[in-house]
Amino acid sequence: MSPLSFTVFVSTENSNPLLLEKAQLLAERLRLPLVTNEDLPETGYVLWVSTDQLSLQLWQHKQKHKLSVDFLTGTLRYRLNKGGGLKQALAKAVGLKNLHQNLSVFDGTAGLGKDAFILAMLGCSVCLIERSALLCELLQDGLNRAEKDPTVGEKVKNNMRLVKADFSHYVRTLAPTFYPEVVYLDPMFPEMRKSALTKLEMRIIRDIVGSDEDASTLLADALAMAKKRVVVKRPVHAHALPGKKPSFVVLGKRNRYDVYLTGGNIKNT
């Protein structure tokens, strides 16, 4: 875990008492110190509370890097409009054949929710499960803003549900009636000297959650409860997770999806 500090920040230049209250409650939930303009640290992570959005900012060497959950702009908007719909690797991996399938999916390592969002827009009913309390706050903020959007808001509201929990602990509390058809996992993989994890976004996520050392346990628990299949997102050249061999693999442009069939009468897609 990163030795850098984490704090919650709200500007005293903003006289909005509701914003200050929001920051205070956030700091209490996360058990982090609340700082204002006079105490803003020169290095470390700052969870920045503003009227527009909640963002995690890395202050280091007089440079500021920002991370937030935004389902409405940038790469996600491009993927939504130009990603290929049902033809994209992610859709094929989870077994989507039409937009009215209403496939139930548990995203057991939700992270920033990007793949969950795409699946929800394709008609899946997605439960986002994330054990990091800090990431959950960012996710909920992104979901709240997306629900107000006239183009995607209805699907976000109806198809995306966030649960703050450890996946393995959570699924063991469920009755089989509530098991999903598909479990989707995108575990952090061990850091390598040359890897995509040098990208700033992934570096920040690693500082928050570390590596998913229990990835094999996540897979075993997913296999025990997914009605149709488990999909594990991996770097193209990474080894499959230890344990069961994938039934087949779907290759994407930058990643691959290891697919483990668990139900009967399921054909490869």
Side-chain angles (χ1 to χ4, degrees):
M1 187 64 67
S2 168
L4 294 173
S5 63
F6 287 81
T7 55
V8 176
F9 170 81
V10 63
S11 175
T12 53
E13 296 176 359
N14 190 313
S15 58
N16 186 344
L18 294 178
L19 195 63
L20 177 58
E21 182 182 4
K22 178 181 177 180
Q24 290 172 333
L25 292 173
L26 179 62
E28 290 175 9
R29 286 197 301 272
L30 296 176
R31 299 181 181 179
L32 293 176
L34 175 64
V35 299
T36 55
N37 299 59
E38 298 79 10
D39 305 312
L40 188 63
E42 294 183 359
T43 61
Y45 281 103
V46 176
L47 195 56
W48 197 288
V49 182
S50 72
T51 54
D52 297 325
Q53 64 177 204
L54 183 67
S55 62
L56 183 66
Q57 302 185 7
L58 172 60
W59 292 66
Q60 199 170 30
H61 307 304
K62 297 184 178 180
Q63 292 184 328
K64 181 175 71 173
H65 308 285
K66 177 181 174 182
L67 178 71
S68 63
V69 173
D70 190 350
F71 296 115
L72 305 176
T73 61
T75 57
L76 271 183
R77 179 63 70 174
Y78 180 84
R79 283 181 64 186
L80 186 61
N81 296 330
K82 305 289 185 179
L86 296 176
K87 295 181 180 179
Q88 61 187 297
L90 174 62
K92 292 179 179 179
V94 300
L96 267 178
K97 295 180 175 63
N98 63 71
L99 297 178
H100 306 288
Q101 201 168 333
N102 195 29
L103 198 66
S104 60
V105 180
F106 276 12
D107 184 344
T109 52
L112 297 179
K114 294 182 178 182
D115 289 338
F117 173 75
I118 296 299
L119 290 174
M121 294 304 101
L122 292 175
C124 296
S125 176
V126 187
C127 176
L128 296 84
I129 304 168
E130 176 52 55
R131 56 184 161 191
S132 165
L134 198 156
L135 280 181
C136 276
E137 295 289 352
L138 292 172
L139 275 169
Q140 189 61 63
D141 179 71
L143 289 170
N144 291 342
R145 284 182 282 109
E147 285 182 2
K148 301 174 184 177
D149 183 79
T151 59
V152 302
E154 198 65 25
K155 283 188 175 181
V156 169
K157 189 180 300 184
N158 294 333
N159 294 354
M160 299 181 75
R161 178 171 65 93
L162 176 62
V163 174
K164 178 189 170 297
D166 175 274
F167 172 77
S168 292
H169 293 165
Y170 177 68
V171 298
R172 289 168 188 168
T173 68
L174 297 177
T177 307
F178 299 101
Y179 287 177
E181 294 168 279
V182 178
V183 175
Y184 180 77
L185 300 173
D186 182 11
M188 295 289 287
F189 52 93
E191 190 168 6
M192 295 179 288
R193 191 167 298 175
K194 294 181 179 180
S195 77
L197 291 181
T198 57
K199 294 180 180 179
L200 179 65
E201 184 176 272
M202 297 304 293
R203 173 194 167 185
I204 293 176
I205 295 175
R206 181 180 291 283
D207 280 347
I208 298 172
V209 304
S211 297
D212 289 320
E213 303 294 342
D214 60 343
S216 296
T217 301
L218 296 177
L219 174 59
D221 290 333
L223 290 169
M225 53 95 68
K227 293 180 180 178
K228 291 186 176 180
R229 65 179 66 188
V230 175
V231 179
V232 181
K233 185 178 182 179
R234 300 292 286 164
V236 173
H237 300 295
H239 295 295
L241 293 181
K244 185 178 179 180
K245 183 179 178 181
S247 303
F248 62 96
V249 172
V250 177
L251 287 177
K253 292 181 179 179
R254 298 181 180 178
N255 303 283
R256 76 166 197 271
Y257 301 91
D258 293 345
V259 181
Y260 303 79
L261 300 180
T262 60
N265 301 319
I266 306 296
K267 295 182 181 180
N268 294 6
T269 58

